[in-house]
Amino acid sequence: MRLKLSDKKAVLLTELRRQGIWDENLLVVLADIPREDFIPKALRAQAYENAALPIDSGQTISQPYIVAYMTQALGVSKKHKILEIGTGSGYQAVVLAKLCRRLFTIERHLPLFNAAGKMFKKLNIFNITTLFGNGMKGWSEQAPFDRIMVTAASEDIPGKLLEQLKDGGIMVIPIGLQGKIQHIIRITRHGDDYDHEELLAVKFVPLLSGIVHES
Ligand code: SAH
């Protein structure tokens, strides 16, 4: 028997709870967002599998568990102004936008940047501001941020992002070399001190500098 997408979504949400996603606000938001709209049409049937999927420009939309885990680890509230690096499909941006006050997101691939902007409009989400550029530099005009999420893996933590984190603010970022084990690191700023916690082992596409105009 073939399950409908809505049934598959319910199964996925149960699995996420079992995997340790307890934040009810987050689970409501995940239930609300049509992940099938953020992936290539040919993959629609797989929208609610707990797996990363390919998107345009050789990039990936993260596994739902990783999106949920990173969002929960970030500790988001309605008061927060958040910066996301790596808009990609726009899915993680929408998850964050529904939980915070304002979400700023940067993408270095123009086709992805354009497609994500269209999706935000289509879904009537008005608290997201997008930028086509190199997110390693952050967004100084909009800094400081209460929270920063990086959704591509870096060898080390970009200094500009640390500078643009508010005192008491939190950043989550996958750190590690390509092809090696990477970890999600959670950084909490206390004045000029930054606490580091190593969380989950993950596999992300690389954080790269420069911008790309074609897919
Ligand atoms: N958050 C995305 C995940 C996309 S994968 C989603 O929910 O779909 C990571 C994305 O980071 C890719 O789209 C990649 O192009 C982008 N990226 C990599 N390095 C970047 C940089 N320096 N600045 C901005 N975006 C970057």
Side-chain angles (χ1 to χ4, degrees), residues 148-165:
I148 299 178
M149 182 187 285
V150 183
T151 65
S154 177
E155 281 179 36
D156 27 51
I157 303 158
K160 289 271 180 227
L161 298 184
L162 292 174
E163 280 172 25
Q164 293 177 23
L165 191 60

Side-chain angles (χ1 to χ4, degrees):
M1 194 189 78
R2 288 184 64 179
L3 287 179
K4 288 186 298 197
L5 275 187
S6 57
D7 295 333
K8 288 185 178 174
K9 190 182 227 179
V11 170
L12 173 63
L13 287 166
T14 304
E15 185 174 326
L16 293 179
R17 282 181 191 274
R18 202 170 38 77
Q19 289 182 302
I21 304 304
W22 47 260
D23 183 331
E24 291 298 332
N25 292 334
L26 170 58
L27 288 160
V28 167
V29 162
L30 294 173
D32 197 39
I33 302 174
R35 189 168 184 261
E36 63 273 26
D37 287 359
F38 294 84
I39 60 175
K41 284 207 172 53
L43 301 178
R44 202 180 146 84
Q46 297 170 50
Y48 295 103
E49 280 172 21
N50 204 353
L53 295 170
I55 55 173
D56 201 3
S57 305
Q59 303 303 309
T60 53
I61 176 171
S62 305
Q63 182 190 349
Y65 172 60
I66 299 298
V67 170
Y69 182 92
M70 286 179 82
T71 307
Q72 188 167 275
L74 200 60
V76 179
S77 95
K78 274 285 175 199
K79 292 184 182 162
H80 289 156
K81 175 178 176 181
I82 304 184
L83 176 65
E84 181 202 22
I85 312 300
T87 315
S89 67
Y91 180 77
Q92 173 75 72
V94 172
V95 172
L96 291 169
K98 284 179 175 278
L99 294 165
C100 77
R101 181 167 57 84
R102 276 191 80 178
L103 190 269
F104 295 84
T105 182
I106 308 177
E107 173 56 53
R108 67 185 284 275
H109 275 107
L110 190 58
L112 292 172
F113 166 81
N114 286 330
K118 281 191 192 135
M119 271 309 296
F120 303 151
K121 280 214 180 76
K122 185 181 159 201
L123 295 176
N124 290 322
I125 296 170
F126 302 113
N127 63 338
I128 300 181
T129 311
T130 60
L131 180 71
F132 171 52
N134 173 11
M136 284 182 189
K137 298 182 192 160
W139 195 330
S140 56
E141 296 83 358
Q142 296 296 345
F145 299 95
D146 298 287
R147 299 286 185 267
I148 299 178
M149 182 187 285
V150 183
T151 65
S154 177
E155 281 179 36
D156 27 51
I157 303 158
K160 289 271 180 227
L161 298 184
L162 292 174
E163 280 172 25
Q164 293 177 23
L165 191 60
K166 209 177 261 184
D167 193 8
I170 298 174
M171 166 156 70
V172 292
I173 177 170
I175 293 288
L177 300 172
Q178 284 300 305
K180 301 262 188 239
I181 296 174
Q182 306 160 352
H183 284 95
I184 294 176
I185 306 294
R186 177 164 57 192
I187 297 150
T188 308
R189 179 170 191 173
H190 304 285
D192 291 335
D193 293 333
Y194 294 85
D195 277 356
H196 287 60
E197 293 164 85
E198 189 176 281
L199 307 177
L200 205 62
V202 285
K203 199 176 158 200
F204 270 84
V205 295
L207 186 74
L208 298 169
S209 58
I211 50 173
V212 185
H213 282 87
E214 307 295 330
S215 324

